[in-house]
Amino acid sequence: MDLVIRDAHVIDGTGGAAYRADVAVDGGRIAAVVREGGGARPSARRVLDADGLALSPGFIDMHAHSDLALLRDPDHSAKAAQGVTLEVIGQDGLSYAPVDDRTLAQIRTAITGWNGDGSDIDFTWRTVGEYLDRLDHGFDGRGIAVNAAYLIPQGTVRMLALGWEDRDATPAEIARMKQLVAEGLEQGAVGLSSGLTYTPGMYATDSELTELCRVVAAYDGYYCPHHRSYGAGALRAYEEMVAVTREAGCALHLAHATMNFGVNKGRAPELLALLDTALADGADITLDTYPYLPGCTTLVAQLPSWAAEGGPEAILTRLRDDTEAERIRHVMEVEGADGCHGVPIEWDTIEISGVSDPSLGDYVGKTVAASARERGEEPWTTARRLLLEDRLGPTILQHVGHEENVQAIMKHPVHMGGSDGILHGAKPHPRAYGTFPRYLGRYVRELGILSLEECVAHLTSRPAARLRLPDRGEVREGYRADLVLFDPQTVAAGSTFDSPRTLPIGIPHVLIDGRFVIEDGRRTDTLAGRAVRRVTDRRS
């Protein structure tokens, strides 16, 4: 054997009671799990004493934005140090494959706030398959820091088929989008994502989404929407996604399933009742959340959708025009823009977390309202200038969450963990570095919201089942040796809103395919991650 992890407190990912065991690893897989008193103890070339440590499957981040970070940063300790061994990227309907030269340029500008402008990346791919191959290759052919699965981004697909126009797709355009989705699934994507408060994805009708979901269902994938509202009309937006996927016969995974803004305080039980009714009727539904209150997105995403028609350059043109800018302000501050979930924007909840132009760094860490007060101007004036000077680059923290909603949703049986971590910017959301240890430290050990065994199941086997991965997510013989060793008494997120890039504590060892990527609390130079492709094929 390559390795024996001796006397571990095994939390196997199933939700069952923990037990003490030796776990042997060989050839990148779990070769034996020998419970205490269960027979001869395995031997190996290396023995790791795990006394006092919990051993669990590697954590699966069901909502990540590391699409370029995995190619940019071979260290990637933001995720590896948390015990994350697999990330699901291509989220919120906007990512970098499939593209052509036109859409690649547009998408790089549109989501600069998520991933930077990509000027340091050699965009050698255009298809989903080529992107996954690039992840396999990673750095000098050695791979990437952690494994990655990919969702086809519906907004990007719409860009390819009909650009940034706010109109219904024609039958020919829908056929083209269906073809692109099918090709991406054939090439290894695990499903389809949408960002239905982001342009151009939000321009899609329910019938258009249903047609795309029929394709996803035929490949046994799943649909992962950032739905049309997390604020005013949130429950209607959830109902819409349930209806679309039930009509299409497609599995549904609700991205960062929250109930935010003042209009939804204390209303998580209504969402859960809606889901329970659909589940009882046979629907295939799961969801993910992050264990924090603020959200994180881009400042430009708060604008009304009509202001984004035509793409990034059209947005900038409208912002430069005083009359158009005043129209945008009125919708945002008085009516409630669809980009801000139908809720009139409150500038004192909008904190700038990152900018692309370093000369604008004075805005970072302050709310738009606070920066406006410093300058003796109205908040919209500040926001407008920042969008123009940073060319739509600013990212924001949006302080609109409710603790009772977060706790209620994370206890649901179909819940999973997802960081929604944006790694770009001077002051990113601490969830990018702290989601998984925060679940274990705050919500298990400190608050007792979940048992340790149940929480680990939320972070491991349930995501693996959603992804249709037959050999991940449990400590079981024959499964891949993606493993985490952590101290249940000390594990905690180190990241805070003031110091968001601080690594967690209490996670000394992380293995991917049986190779240490974190050893004795330090990042090794191992690049064991690869693209994880769709493994089932039930096309009719």
Side-chain angles (χ1 to χ4, degrees), residues 21 24 27 81 105 153 189 202 256 261 310 333 374 401 432 471 499 509 515 521:
M202 69 158 60
H256 37 58
F261 302 92
E333 295 186 348
E374 290 178 359
D471 59 354
S499 300
H509 304 291
R515 301 161 63 191

Side-chain angles (χ1 to χ4, degrees), residues 99 272 416 433:
V99 292
L272 300 178
M416 303 169 192
Y433 284 72

Side-chain angles (χ1 to χ4, degrees), residues 31-197:
V33 180
V34 181
R35 298 194 184 213
E36 187 175 42
R41 308 187 80 174
S43 60
R45 286 183 288 276
R46 177 177 177 182
V47 175
L48 176 65
D49 182 2
D51 187 35
L53 296 177
L55 173 67
S56 82
F59 304 136
I60 297 176
D61 188 342
M62 287 297 290
H63 193 103
H65 288 282
S66 303
D67 306 48
L68 297 185
L70 284 165
L71 297 173
R72 174 184 291 130
D73 177 18
D75 182 82
H76 202 48
S77 287
K79 295 301 178 68
Q82 291 186 62
V84 171
T85 57
L86 171 61
E87 297 183 273
V88 185
I89 56 178
Q91 299 285 353
D92 294 334
L94 294 168
S95 190
Y96 305 92
V99 292
D100 57 17
D101 291 348
R102 171 184 60 84
T103 55
L104 175 60
Q106 291 175 332
I107 198 67
R108 287 174 60 179
T109 300
I111 54 175
T112 291
W114 292 357
N115 297 300
D117 64 9
S119 58
D120 55 341
I121 300 293
D122 184 8
F123 288 91
T124 56
W125 68 87
R126 292 297 181 268
T127 70
V128 170
E130 289 169 348
Y131 176 63
L132 296 179
D133 288 344
R134 178 66 182 277
L135 291 175
D136 279 337
H137 186 272
F139 298 89
D140 302 324
R142 294 186 298 133
I144 49 181
V146 304
N147 295 309
Y150 189 70
L151 293 167
I152 302 163
Q154 170 257 330
T156 304
V157 166
R158 204 173 204 269
M159 283 182 222
L160 275 169
L162 65 152
W164 291 73
E165 297 179 40
D166 183 2
R167 63 171 174 81
D168 292 354
T170 67
E173 290 164 343
I174 290 177
R176 173 62 174 148
M177 287 188 277
K178 291 173 70 174
Q179 178 189 12
L180 289 167
V181 172
E183 289 172 353
L185 292 163
E186 288 274 3
Q187 293 163 10
V190 296
L192 176 74
S193 77
S194 282
L196 299 179
T197 64

Side-chain angles (χ1 to χ4, degrees), residues 477-512:
E477 291 182 10
Y479 276 45
R480 291 183 179 272
D482 295 351
L483 300 167
V484 182
L485 286 131
F486 62 92
D487 184 344
Q489 301 306 313
T490 63
V491 62
S495 59
T496 64
F497 287 98
D498 290 332
S499 300
R501 297 186 188 275
T502 306
L503 297 180
I505 61 173
I507 305 179
H509 304 291
V510 181
L511 296 89
I512 296 177

